[in-house]
Amino acid sequence: MLKVFLIRHGQTEWNVEGRFRGRCDISLSRQGVEQAHRTAEALSSLRPAALLSSPLKRCLQTAQPLADCFGLTIEPTEGLNDADFGDWSGLSRDEVKRRWSSEFARWRRGDLSLRFPGGESLHDAKERIASFICGLEERFGEDDVVVCVTHQVPLKLMACWLLGEAAFWHLHFEPASITVLRRTPRLWQAVTLGSAFHLKGLL
């Protein structure tokens, strides 16, 4: 069965500060770099057919130790990009709540019809990540392994696609955590969601 390892990028300073990151191209923190190396060590026994990543710097930096380990070139892939938070990008939760109280309340409910001011809707982002995952079936064989580096919101939306919209706020993906999907003859299944066993002392 085709297996897909989905990795959330390592920690950034904006993660610590609780800022909406979206398409802002920020770097990993020192801890995030260490998390990326730990993740590569944890997956060093894999022999993936490809290594795909969101085109943003924090994901490419997380992917680089994996590329070095696997001997693969990173493929920047728009389907793995973060949600476009538009005008919320770079702001703290409190700033957003003050300026867009009703939209923020919808965000906290996991309302996928929410369109971020100046950005995209959660529904559109969900369709993008679902289309990306389904597209892997056309490119790779049933015995292949593919490794992808992405962001927390796409991972949450992937879970909504598999499990229903209520999953959005019931799942959390730590920085540099590992999620595994597999394609059976009938459907996609989640094998592991947000495993952080390899990050002891770094969370």
Side-chain angles (χ1 to χ4, degrees):
M1 287 176 279
L2 172 62
K3 286 189 177 180
V4 181
F5 285 69
L6 292 153
I7 298 159
R8 185 187 175 193
H9 66 76
Q11 185 191 81
T12 70
E13 293 299 335
W14 282 14
N15 287 109
V16 178
E17 295 170 7
R19 295 187 179 276
F20 286 89
R21 296 163 296 279
R23 302 292 174 86
C24 294
D25 207 9
I26 53 178
S27 300
L28 295 181
S29 65
R30 183 179 302 177
Q31 179 154 311
V33 172
E34 178 60 28
Q35 290 171 336
H37 284 282
R38 284 274 194 96
T39 302
E41 291 171 8
L43 299 179
S44 61
S45 63
L46 292 181
R47 295 295 177 264
L51 173 60
L52 286 65
S53 173
S54 160
L56 296 182
K57 187 184 301 180
R58 57 194 183 272
C59 284
L60 295 173
Q61 289 177 317
T62 302
Q64 189 58 57
L66 291 159
D68 296 340
C69 179
F70 300 146
L72 292 173
T73 299
I74 302 167
E75 298 181 37
T77 305
E78 183 60 29
L80 291 165
N81 209 338
D82 205 355
D84 184 351
F85 288 115
D87 297 339
W88 293 14
S89 301
L91 301 181
S92 69
R93 296 183 188 91
D94 287 343
E95 289 172 320
V96 169
K97 186 176 181 180
R98 281 198 303 270
R99 294 170 62 181
W100 293 279
S101 58
S102 62
E103 290 87 349
F104 184 78
R106 290 172 62 195
W107 159 253
R108 294 299 298 173
R109 291 197 302 270
D111 180 354
L112 299 196
S113 69
L114 171 65
R115 181 173 295 277
F116 300 106
E120 70 179 332
S121 74
L122 285 170
H123 175 77
D124 289 347
K126 178 173 76 77
E127 292 302 304
R128 172 165 50 82
I129 190 70
S131 177
F132 164 77
I133 292 171
C134 290
L136 296 176
E137 301 174 47
E138 300 174 10
R139 177 177 172 186
F140 299 101
E142 63 178 18
D143 295 324
D144 282 336
V145 170
V146 181
V147 176
C148 305
V149 183
T150 187
H151 308 262
Q152 167 144 253
V153 169
L155 287 167
K156 283 176 169 282
L157 293 171
M158 174 274 301
C160 290
W161 173 59
L162 288 175
L163 305 173
E165 293 188 11
F168 192 84
W169 285 112
H170 290 281
L171 291 172
H172 174 73
F173 298 85
E174 292 285 356
S177 61
I178 299 169
T179 293
V180 183
L181 305 183
R182 68 179 180 182
R183 183 65 169 96
T184 74
R186 293 194 307 112
L187 75 174
W188 283 94
Q189 293 179 328
V191 178
T192 302
L193 289 172
S195 174
F197 72 95
H198 57 296
L199 299 173
K200 185 176 180 180
L202 290 177
L203 295 175

